[in-house]
Amino acid sequence: MEIVWQTPANPPHRLDYIFRNGRRHVRPYYFEFIAHVKNRWAGKTIVDLFTDEFKGRSRDYYVSAVKCGRIRVDGEMVPVSYIVKTSEKISHFLHRHEPPVLTSDVLILQKEPDVVTVCKPASIPVHPCGQYRKNTVVGILEAEHGLAPLFLHRLDRLVSGLLILARSASKADFFRQQIEGGMIKKQYIARVAGEFPEQEQVVDANINHNAREQRSTAEVGSCGDTTPIKGKTACTKFTRLSTNGIHSLVLCEPVTGRTHQIRVHLQHAGYPIANDLLYLSKHVNDHSASIPASDFCENLSTEHVDSNEDFSIDPMCTNCPDLVPKGYNVHEEALWLHCVRYSAPGWTYECPYPDWASLS
């Protein structure tokens, strides 16, 4: 079998995707991951470097990968005893398995000469990051609609709703200036636990994000406490739209844009998003162990999917014959947080409500 190594020059294609059990999978493909030797890595053998830094695979795997050329230094095969030097380029050629996402289409709302707006499904990251490359909004739009290049703003992977994509660098800069000038107003809806108060609520509490644990906390000062408040200033306005006594639909208008701001401010107010496992309780287990540490490794295990008919099995791959890479939750559902409207002087873009917005 001839191995074709994927690079950014190989754009995603419609046939790259496999749809199964409500999930969009990517047909595994060969890919070159690249890293440059950091100062603290220098002086280690190539095998020790991978064994120490990328613990998702065994030492025996790394020995075999070096011997057969799956791991190279500056494009050349090296012996397992090779000592790496600062700034050398290390390539790790992998049979890449991307995590699945929900199967919902990326719906194009408006297509203009310099702007495209879409309704982003939950669970799909916007742009290539971590283990995701083709299973992204940008990858899917290129594969299914031929839209590229696109300049974009960020929307968390688990959040659904309106996404504005500039089709030129000049339009992207226009949006950037409006964002930095505080001219853009954002509106989200959330389905929260409990009967949210009828009166408008404003939460003014700092957001302190822990990148290691991938979660944030709300920080407020107490009377007489002179200790500086941790985190960045953050403010969100909340208005109840409807309630059935068990859940409430709430309009969320963030004044600032901090990581997980709406989710944390709703938790702080006592009305967390009703299916937000990370913030339903203030006493949350450490989820960092379930998140891959890098592009080079995956951890833990997941259910087996018989996928031999859909892709070729690589005998060296630590994920094969499973289609889903190890360490990912194949039962992940959509977070009940949805972006519905962005506006600024001269323009407004909107997105339809999701099905879960109905409390009947």
Side-chain angles (χ1 to χ4, degrees), residues 11-174:
H13 190 275
R14 187 182 294 270
L15 296 180
D16 291 339
Y17 300 98
I18 301 170
F19 297 91
R20 232 184 232 176
N21 301 322
R23 296 292 186 274
R24 178 194 290 263
H25 300 266
V26 173
R27 202 179 306 278
Y29 54 95
Y30 290 97
F31 193 80
E32 178 188 8
F33 285 109
I34 296 173
H36 289 86
V37 177
K38 303 175 183 178
N39 289 334
R40 65 182 178 85
W41 295 355
K44 292 185 176 183
T45 68
I46 187 70
V47 172
D48 285 344
L49 165 59
F50 274 88
T51 303
D52 294 345
E53 299 293 335
F54 309 112
K55 301 181 186 296
R57 293 178 171 83
S58 69
R59 183 180 184 87
D60 288 343
Y61 166 82
Y62 290 127
V63 168
S64 298
V66 172
K67 286 182 176 180
C68 75
R70 290 282 180 104
I71 293 176
R72 299 187 176 216
V73 178
D74 287 336
E76 302 293 333
M77 292 182 65
V78 296
V80 294
S81 59
Y82 182 82
I83 305 296
V84 301
K85 306 175 186 64
T86 302
S87 297
E88 285 180 321
K89 185 185 84 169
I90 297 179
S91 298
H92 189 187
F93 297 93
L94 282 178
H95 193 231
R96 184 170 184 175
H97 292 237
E98 294 195 26
V101 298
L102 296 176
T103 195
S104 305
D105 291 335
V106 178
L107 177 65
I108 295 178
L109 301 172
Q110 290 182 256
K111 185 193 273 187
E112 302 171 358
D114 53 1
V115 176
V116 173
T117 65
V118 302
C119 184
K120 182 187 100 61
S123 86
I124 304 180
V126 175
H127 53 77
C129 58
Q131 288 289 337
Y132 298 90
R133 178 171 170 262
K134 298 182 181 183
N135 242 355
T136 61
V137 171
V138 171
I140 293 168
L141 287 175
E142 184 170 10
E144 297 185 351
H145 300 281
L147 288 171
L150 295 171
F151 304 83
L152 43 102
H153 74 80
R154 181 173 176 270
L155 194 64
D156 285 350
R157 184 177 69 84
L158 294 179
V159 178
S160 60
L162 178 63
L163 189 63
I164 301 173
L165 306 166
R167 304 182 70 178
S168 67
S170 60
K171 193 64 175 182
D173 188 59
F174 168 77

Side-chain angles (χ1 to χ4, degrees), residues 97 103 144 156 178 187 193 230 241 274 294 321:
H97 292 237
T103 195
E144 297 185 351
D156 285 350
Q178 288 195 319
Q187 292 184 339
K230 296 180 181 179
L241 299 177
S294 76

Side-chain angles (χ1 to χ4, degrees), residues 263-337:
R263 298 166 69 183
V264 175
H265 276 180
L266 283 168
Q267 179 203 48
H268 181 73
Y271 302 91
I273 295 173
N275 70 343
D276 191 347
L277 299 181
L278 187 60
Y279 294 113
L280 270 173
S281 169
K282 291 187 178 180
H283 305 286
V284 183
N285 293 327
D286 181 6
H287 286 256
S288 60
S290 66
I291 300 172
S294 76
D295 285 337
F296 289 109
C297 61
E298 304 93 13
N299 301 303
L300 307 178
S301 62
T302 188
E303 68 179 29
H304 174 78
V305 179
D306 183 11
S307 51
N308 296 11
E309 297 179 359
D310 295 312
F311 69 94
S312 299
I313 303 300
D314 184 320
M316 282 195 66
C317 179
T318 56
N319 288 309
C320 285
D322 292 348
L323 178 56
V324 179
K326 294 177 174 63
Y328 287 88
N329 179 10
V330 294
H331 304 295
E332 184 176 72
E333 297 298 334
L335 182 69
W336 287 343
L337 179 61

